[in-house]
Amino acid sequence: MRILLVEDDRHTREFIERGLREAGYAVDAVGNGRDGLFLATTESFSLLILDRMLPQVDGLTIVRTLRASRIGTPVLVLSALGEVDERVEGLRAGSDDYLVKPFALAELLARVEALLRRPSGPNAQTQDTLLRVADLELDRLKRSVRRGERRIELQPKEFQLLEYLMRHADQVVTR
């Protein structure tokens, strides 16, 4: 599954990115809201993780823009703003979850898993989690691969690579 991480603090961004990759996710990470908004509206992601206070375009503006554009990608907002009114504002802006900094990586990963289990539209769970190319089938939710009736065991990096290649089937991809 492909996740977009938008976090302006380099250390926090690298920490989260490393944790997500070790958990087997493909991660695109950027450090400002403008780049985050551009990627979120032009690329396909299973989940967005956004800092609330970003340079150029803030996280809640990104969420509102996505929802106004009918982009239903689940959004987890990260923020040092943890008062009840601030969390409520984040959720009402259209985010699916709100996590206050500082947080434990284990909790972040649990929330990511929970958000990725939710369907985001009609038949979204099947469409979003199952990739097929010929008789090769990759289930991103179950993290399983089958060719015909045979199950194929893959390491996390191999799984990410296969997912990328299947998403770009019939295209030339660079190394």
Side-chain angles (χ1 to χ4, degrees):
M1 298 202 178
R2 189 170 174 212
I3 296 174
L4 174 61
L5 171 62
V6 186
E7 168 63 60
D8 62 324
D9 180 73
R10 185 177 58 85
H11 295 294
T12 303
R13 183 175 63 245
E14 289 171 355
F15 171 73
I16 295 169
E17 184 177 4
R18 184 173 43 254
L20 290 168
R21 287 186 191 282
E22 288 174 2
Y25 298 103
V27 181
D28 291 22
V30 295
N32 66 68
R34 183 180 48 86
D35 292 343
L37 180 59
F38 176 76
L39 286 173
T41 56
T42 59
E43 301 279 333
S44 176
F45 294 95
S46 301
L47 175 70
L48 274 56
I49 301 175
L50 303 173
D51 186 7
R52 182 172 172 164
M53 296 181 292
L54 292 165
Q56 299 174 359
V57 179
D58 72 274
L60 295 189
T61 300
I62 293 172
V63 174
R64 288 184 185 107
T65 303
L66 294 175
R67 299 309 182 230
S69 301
R70 298 207 172 286
I71 297 172
T73 305
V75 176
L76 169 60
V77 171
L78 303 176
S79 181
L81 303 175
E83 296 297 318
V84 171
D85 290 343
E86 294 160 337
R87 294 190 315 256
V88 168
E89 181 184 9
L91 293 167
R92 287 194 172 146
S95 68
D96 297 279
D97 200 355
Y98 194 102
L99 183 59
V100 178
K101 295 175 182 177
F103 54 85
L105 182 61
E107 181 179 5
L108 174 72
L109 292 174
R111 288 173 183 257
V112 165
E113 291 169 12
L115 288 168
L116 291 173
R117 282 194 302 263
R118 296 180 189 169
S120 58
N123 302 321
Q125 188 158 0
T126 303
Q127 292 173 350
D128 190 41
T129 63
L130 203 57
L131 292 174
R132 285 195 181 102
V133 175
D135 66 341
L136 184 63
E137 182 178 288
L138 181 139
D139 188 324
R140 293 182 285 174
L141 189 60
K142 295 179 185 174
R143 302 201 62 76
S144 66
V145 177
R146 297 183 98 59
R147 169 153 254 142
E149 295 298 315
R150 196 176 117 233
R151 184 168 158 67
I152 301 170
E153 296 294 327
L154 297 175
Q155 296 298 316
K157 208 45 131 180
E158 294 168 330
F159 188 88
Q160 288 175 351
L161 180 59
L162 181 60
E163 178 184 351
Y164 182 85
L165 292 172
M166 289 179 76
R167 281 178 173 265
H168 297 88
D170 299 323
Q171 296 176 14
V172 176
V173 294
T174 64
R175 195 181 199 191

